Amino acid sequence: MEFLTLFLIYLSFVLALTALLCLCSARKESFLARSVNRASQVLSLVIPTQLQRVTHRALHRLFHTRSCLFVVLHVALQAAVFGEYTWEVFVYCWELQFHLLLLLLPYLLLAGNLGCFLLCSRANPGTVTKSNAASLVKVYAYDGVLFERGLVCPTCTVEKPARTCVHRFDHHCVWVNNCIGAGNAGVFLLYLLSLTATAAAVAAVTAAFLRRVLLLSSVTHGTYLDARGHEQPVGVSFLVQHLFLAFPRIVFMLGFVLLLTLVLGGYCSFSLYLALTNQTTNEWCKSRRFGGSRHPPSQPHDRPLVYKNIYSKGIWRNLKEIFNPPTVLERKKRT
């Protein structure tokens, strides 16, 4: 099978798997969730209980607590991509007289991304403590569906304000080694946008270099002999194989950053949708799973539960709230 066909099959499989996980992960009664639950039940009968506990603790510590492992991986991937870009792509493009600003654009975006990364990872996302819990209760109203009055956090041992345990809690991001909340949601959005732009800029410059190489070479014209000795016209698959043999690391890097750009672009679009509608990832997932949850005491039991986002104030005010979260004083002025 041709190289390009294999690559397209691999890319389609990865994108389809990513889309499937995004569509099914938030549905409590989905086929994927039921299959995972059944598989876990079967494995629990085979795997020793002690090993299950150790695995559960390790996964919880890895994905739900602060750990430097993914930060190291994050830095290593960026160093590998920009090492290859600097060592080969930048040098070749400079010899081919590419515009200097175009070559420096990925570095400028990288600098902005690293700045957002440091701000996001070091900022206090809005941790609820005994000293500020009473004031944070007054910022957001309880909707009676996702957030109910009177619930006590087992970790903090304080009454949970609406949209917490972290103030306006979104999720815990392992890549920045911090929770995302009211204190760093705006910087996190800029971090995502700058990371996507960085990957797209590297991909664009690399693709422009490979295109220039093909235009300057004679391989784009005429025919070639295949493995059976038959004469075949030069096609896209042959050109990709030719580039892969001539510049294997560059072609591999291009495939990686293209895939990264697509995945990050999708996640950025989702994050922008949440920001413009004044939702968090935590609230979006809970609202999608709400069909199987218990009936909150604040609503009559004879009525079906209907979730409604009570925090949206319009597109521009929602976006403003991401970068300038409301305080108790601001809410008092509005009321």
Side-chain angles (χ1 to χ4, degrees), residues 116-136:
C116 293
F117 169 79
L118 291 174
L119 291 174
C120 189
S121 61
R122 295 172 64 89
N124 181 0
T127 305
V128 178
T129 62
K130 293 182 179 181
S131 60
N132 63 10
S135 61
L136 291 179

Side-chain angles (χ1 to χ4, degrees), residues 44-286:
S44 64
L45 300 176
V46 180
I47 301 176
T49 305
Q50 188 64 28
L51 181 59
Q52 294 181 37
R53 292 176 181 174
V54 172
T55 304
H56 182 269
R57 290 174 184 173
L59 292 176
H60 181 270
R61 183 175 181 82
L62 188 63
F63 291 101
H64 297 282
T65 61
R66 303 198 70 170
S67 172
C68 294
L69 178 61
F70 283 95
V71 174
V72 173
L73 180 59
H74 182 290
V75 175
L77 288 174
Q78 283 191 325
V81 169
F82 273 88
E84 177 61 25
Y85 175 81
T86 304
W87 185 256
E88 290 196 286
V89 178
F90 186 93
V91 175
Y92 288 144
C93 289
W94 181 257
E95 293 176 354
L96 293 174
Q97 297 181 346
F98 276 62
H99 198 284
L100 180 60
L101 183 59
L102 178 64
L103 299 180
L104 293 179
L105 180 60
Y107 295 106
L108 298 176
L109 292 172
L110 176 65
N113 175 253
L114 291 177
C116 293
F117 169 79
L118 291 174
L119 291 174
C120 189
S121 61
R122 295 172 64 89
N124 181 0
T127 305
V128 178
T129 62
K130 293 182 179 181
S131 60
N132 63 10
S135 61
L136 291 179
V137 167
K138 303 175 183 178
V139 176
Y140 290 114
Y142 293 92
D143 63 359
V145 180
L146 300 183
F147 306 106
E148 303 174 45
R149 188 181 299 275
L151 296 180
V152 178
C153 176
T155 303
C156 315
T157 65
V158 297
E159 182 180 349
K160 294 175 61 174
R163 313 185 87 179
T164 61
C165 271
V166 172
H167 184 38
R168 202 183 182 280
F169 176 70
D170 192 277
H171 70 288
H172 178 79
C173 180
V174 296
W175 299 105
V176 299
N177 196 23
N178 201 359
C179 289
I180 307 302
N184 58 357
V187 180
F188 180 73
L189 184 60
L190 294 178
Y191 162 78
L192 282 179
L193 293 173
S194 60
L195 187 61
T196 306
T198 303
V202 172
V205 176
T206 305
F209 159 70
L210 294 177
R211 179 177 179 274
R212 180 75 64 87
V213 169
L214 289 177
L215 292 176
L216 293 177
S217 65
S218 59
V219 73
T220 55
H221 308 286
T223 60
Y224 72 99
L225 296 178
D226 61 13
R228 298 179 180 179
H230 298 156
E231 193 174 78
Q232 300 288 345
V234 172
V236 177
S237 178
F238 177 80
L239 296 177
V240 173
Q241 293 182 61
H242 172 74
L243 289 174
F244 188 80
L245 292 175
F247 308 100
R249 292 191 298 272
I250 295 179
V251 174
F252 181 81
M253 182 193 72
L254 177 60
F256 173 73
V257 293
L258 280 176
L259 180 61
L260 187 64
T261 302
L262 292 175
V263 174
L264 287 174
Y267 186 49
C268 276
S269 300
F270 174 68
S271 298
L272 282 172
Y273 160 75
L274 293 180
L276 295 176
T277 56
N278 205 331
Q279 298 183 80
T280 65
T281 304
N282 178 53
E283 294 163 4
W284 184 84
C285 291
K286 283 184 176 180

Side-chain angles (χ1 to χ4, degrees), residues 5-22:
T5 305
L6 287 173
F7 178 76
L8 291 177
I9 291 175
Y10 166 75
L11 184 61
S12 301
F13 173 77
V14 172
L15 293 177
L17 182 61
T18 303
L20 180 65
L21 290 175
C22 292

